[in-house]
Amino acid sequence: MLAAPPLSLYVHLPWCVRKCPYCDFNSHAVPARGVPEAAYLAALLDDLDYAARDCEGRPLVSIFFGGGTPSLFSADSIGRIIERAVQRLGAVAELEITLEANPGTVERGRFAAYRDAGVNRVSLGAQSFNERHLAALGRIHARDETLAAVDELRAANLDNFNLDLMYALPEQSLDEALADLEQAIGLGPPHLSHYQLTLEPGTAFERRPPRLPDDDTAYAMQVACQARLASAGYRHYEVSAYAQPGRECRHNLNYWRFGDYLGIGAGAHGKVTDAVHGRVIRSARVKQPGRYLAATEPS
């Protein structure tokens, strides 16, 4: 018989203000009529009830709201999902609840509302602090909005946060990559995701490739940035993740350690251990948001 490993929950919220040209995630520009928040919330709650049937009595160790841009959804909706998940499955004493956020979609006071809803960790998509590079990446935010978002996090007592940062950006130099990293470190995030821009199939950048640094320059950026992160006290604990001691992302670690996870929302994937029958069950939800909503509507 297999032993059941720790259990996490991933919630996919698939809409963004605008699709970034490098992004190959299951994300979609907000429809003209706006995000169908109420309908999607109802679908997620039904999906959660369905998924939880196979995991009763197994408390959650983490919840992760990914996207897309989850910060487009209200704190009330996020809180209702958290409440339902804990009601159905239970939770460990120190449940980690992460919300991905775009600095360009964070209104004043919003992080405090998310904290009150139960969120205790935020992953902020900075990507760069250079205005030229942010424009080349199609980001909707500017450097100052990232700085303001970090201030908002601290004002909300959300000190456990991650900054996403990319390197080998279009026409980026080694000095510029290091300058980006220096500004990120200066903000004191407990966790940094630092990864190379790649041209993924099906993206706008694949169809119209920008001018990227050559392989030798990209490698020099990787080596120099890893050395700087180490000197600043960040431990390299998985491929593109660096953390101060004890601030590793528990949700990510559960993936890496072959833990179980329920996946709800458009395109979400799940993996659950059936200890009784000695097997692992994998699942995938309908990818397109419209089809996902149609599939979860009552007949």
Side-chain angles (χ1 to χ4, degrees), residues 23-54:
C23 179
D24 68 336
F25 294 165
N26 183 30
S27 60
H28 306 265
V30 173
R33 63 185 181 279
V35 173
E37 183 167 342
Y40 196 72
L41 172 63
L44 286 173
L45 294 175
D46 287 345
D47 196 356
L48 176 58
D49 286 342
Y50 177 81
R53 296 183 308 170
D54 295 328

Side-chain angles (χ1 to χ4, degrees), residues 2-10 51 54-55 58 254-264 268-274 279-285:
L2 292 176
L7 179 68
S8 295
L9 171 66
Y10 175 77
D54 295 328
C55 298
R58 296 181 57 190
N254 197 39
Y255 289 148
W256 282 95
R257 293 169 176 168
F258 206 61
D260 281 353
Y261 49 94
L262 300 178
I264 64 171
H269 288 242
K271 173 246 168 188
V272 174
T273 300
D274 179 353
R279 60 180 180 170
V280 170
I281 302 170
R282 297 189 180 273
S283 61
R285 299 298 189 254

Side-chain angles (χ1 to χ4, degrees), residues 11-12 43 49 59 86 94 115 124 148 176-177 187 192 206 216 229 247 253 262 264 269 271 291:
V11 183
H12 193 69
D49 286 342
V86 173
E94 296 183 353
R115 178 208 61 210
L124 199 61
E176 287 173 328
L187 293 173
L192 268 163
E206 186 210 23
D216 288 343
L229 283 161
R247 308 307 287 272
L253 283 174
L262 300 178
I264 64 171
H269 288 242
K271 173 246 168 188
R291 290 182 59 202

Side-chain angles (χ1 to χ4, degrees), residues 1 10 16 21 35-36 57 64 93 97 102 104 109 115 137 145 158 166 174 179 186 190 196 215 238 281 285:
M1 179 183 293
Y10 175 77
C16 292
V35 173
F64 195 103
I97 305 176
N102 186 316
R115 178 208 61 210
L137 291 172
E145 287 174 295
L158 281 168
M166 302 171 74
L174 172 58
Q196 181 178 345
D215 289 346
E238 56 109 319
I281 302 170
R285 299 298 189 254

